[in-house]
Amino acid sequence: MGIALRLAFGIAAMTAPAAQAGTPPSAKLVRCGADECLLVRGARSSADATVLINDRVVPTRGERGWKTRIPLASVRRLATPFARTLSVTVVDSAGRVEQREAVRLPVGLLGHNTELAALVVRAR
């Protein structure tokens, strides 16, 4: 998708009034073959509406009830480290924002693991 189209969707998402359409989107961790993915689901008025996550267009399946699976590596590129939410925006075919919601991520999803060489626990 061209930069101009992404820019147009981004501008439309920022300037158009947000109308609540359907149920708020949700996210959960699921298996994608050998890896893990974030499954994001939501609703839109028609299958022509475009879904953006953190202002980036994502491919979706479904018509009015849509869903997308995003590999964790891609989620880490979309979001800042230690993020607790993703911004999900649904833009209709005319470029108007149907819905904009902050979707909560599973706890600790974008945290970092720290390998410990030793852990000392003392009883008092």
Side-chain angles (χ1 to χ4, degrees), residues 13-70:
M14 290 185 285
T15 59
Q20 299 302 318
T23 58
S26 64
K28 71 177 185 177
L29 201 57
V30 296
R31 297 294 279 165
C32 282
D35 296 324
E36 292 184 346
C37 294
L38 186 69
L39 174 65
V40 183
R41 295 179 183 196
R44 57 187 169 187
S45 62
S46 73
D48 295 337
T50 304
V51 176
L52 294 93
I53 295 182
N54 282 5
D55 298 324
R56 293 190 182 111
V57 176
V58 294
T60 57
R61 291 189 0 212
E63 294 187 19
R64 294 188 69 202
W66 60 267
K67 65 182 174 180
T68 185
R69 289 178 186 246
I70 307 168

Side-chain angles (χ1 to χ4, degrees), residues 83-104:
R84 295 183 179 179
T85 62
L86 292 176
S87 172
V88 176
T89 306
V90 179
V91 179
D92 66 15
S93 58
R96 293 183 301 262
V97 174
E98 288 182 9
Q99 182 179 29
R100 172 178 280 175
E101 297 282 338
V103 175
R104 294 182 60 115

